[in-house]
Amino acid sequence: MIRRFFVVGLLVSLLPLAALAQEKEQDRVQDAGRVLQEIIDIPDNIPQDLLDRAECVIVLPSVKKFAIGIGGSYGRGVMTCRGGANFTGGWGAPAMYALEGANIGFQLGGNATDFVLLVMNPRGARSLLKSKVKLGADAAAAAGPKGRTASAATDVVMRAEVLSYSRSRGLFAGISLEGSTLRSDNSDNENLYGRKLNATDIIRDHKAAAPPSAQTLIAALNKKSPHNKSDAKSLK
């Protein structure tokens, strides 16, 4: 009897912690949506034709760099992908992702930076869904071009599987994240959705509906880029 009361008491004591963890991830998803909407609203932002060809979008709000010269970075955010077998449908429920261990080539001390990454082909998307990916090694990566179109982009950019952008102190630019690692954060997925789920469960197998906190993120993408145009013969 005493043991039963102990177990019940322990479970009850853990409920507030689970609620706090879920609220934290919901806030992160909301922050990702806000960051993406703000970046979309910048006049000289991500080229429309690149966004239209993207299979997935990763948003990492408030990534921090260690204030030790050229040290690493760490951050948490979300990845959402287009639905359908070939990533051609509407944008779906987000999975939580982590960015770690990067020498990201900028000197910002302890200031936080927002990142947006475009995953440009199914191979890159599948890699990110299955395992930890080192940008520049496991997936070709490049700083993304800015402007209305990508017509002036280099061959390196056009061959990249992942294009990355940053915003810090109000400045938006393409930035290289080569050397960084991206991985699905399954513990954060569990906190957000209330059960054990990995990125494939959420994004490809649709085992969870998008939470209300993802409304801004998904609505912004569906409005800005409702259709995948990766099969287009040429860039407009």
Side-chain angles (χ1 to χ4, degrees):
M1 182 66 71
I2 294 175
R3 182 178 180 182
R4 182 181 300 174
F5 280 127
F6 174 77
V7 171
V8 171
L10 180 61
L11 292 175
V12 170
S13 67
L14 291 176
L15 288 176
L17 295 177
L20 287 173
Q22 185 177 52
E23 183 178 357
K24 179 180 178 181
E25 301 313 325
Q26 289 172 344
D27 289 345
R28 200 189 312 278
V29 175
Q30 288 178 330
D31 287 345
R34 174 185 54 79
V35 165
L36 182 67
Q37 185 63 67
E38 290 173 356
I39 288 175
I40 285 175
D41 290 341
I42 296 172
D44 191 25
N45 63 12
I46 299 169
Q48 183 68 47
D49 43 6
L50 288 182
L51 186 58
D52 287 342
R53 292 169 50 218
E55 317 284 350
C56 305
V57 172
I58 300 169
V59 185
L60 300 150
S62 299
V63 175
K64 294 180 179 179
K65 171 183 169 296
F66 296 124
I68 51 172
I70 58 171
S73 67
Y74 60 96
R76 299 290 186 272
V78 304
M79 181 169 83
T80 178
C81 299
R82 299 182 192 270
N86 297 313
F87 299 96
T88 56
W91 298 91
M96 308 305 291
Y97 269 74
L99 173 76
E100 298 170 329
N103 175 358
I104 53 181
F106 65 99
Q107 304 301 312
L108 293 176
N111 291 293
T113 300
D114 304 315
F115 289 104
V116 174
L117 287 71
L118 306 184
V119 184
M120 299 305 297
N121 57 36
R123 180 180 179 276
R126 286 192 292 268
S127 296
L128 283 164
L129 288 171
K130 291 180 179 179
S131 62
K132 178 187 289 189
V133 170
K134 186 172 183 179
L135 299 179
D138 302 320
K146 294 197 314 175
R148 293 184 179 274
T149 71
S151 58
T154 65
D155 288 342
V156 171
V157 168
M158 300 312 294
R159 289 196 301 267
E161 293 173 297
V162 178
L163 297 175
S164 49
Y165 297 86
S166 71
R167 184 185 65 166
S168 179
R169 297 176 179 172
L171 299 177
F172 179 72
I175 189 168
S176 174
L177 287 176
E178 286 195 9
S180 308
T181 58
L182 277 168
R183 62 172 177 83
S184 174
D185 194 322
N186 291 336
S187 62
D188 285 354
N189 286 329
E190 183 176 359
N191 290 337
L192 178 64
Y193 290 101
R195 54 197 174 101
K196 292 184 181 296
L197 294 168
N198 59 36
T200 300
D201 292 333
I202 298 165
I203 290 175
R204 300 302 284 162
D205 297 336
H206 310 294
K207 292 184 178 180
S213 55
Q215 181 178 356
T216 298
L217 175 72
I218 295 172
L221 285 168
N222 279 330
K223 181 179 179 180
K224 184 68 173 178
S225 181
H227 303 295
N228 188 328
K229 299 181 180 178
S230 58
D231 292 333
K233 297 295 184 181
S234 61
L235 298 175
K236 296 181 180 180

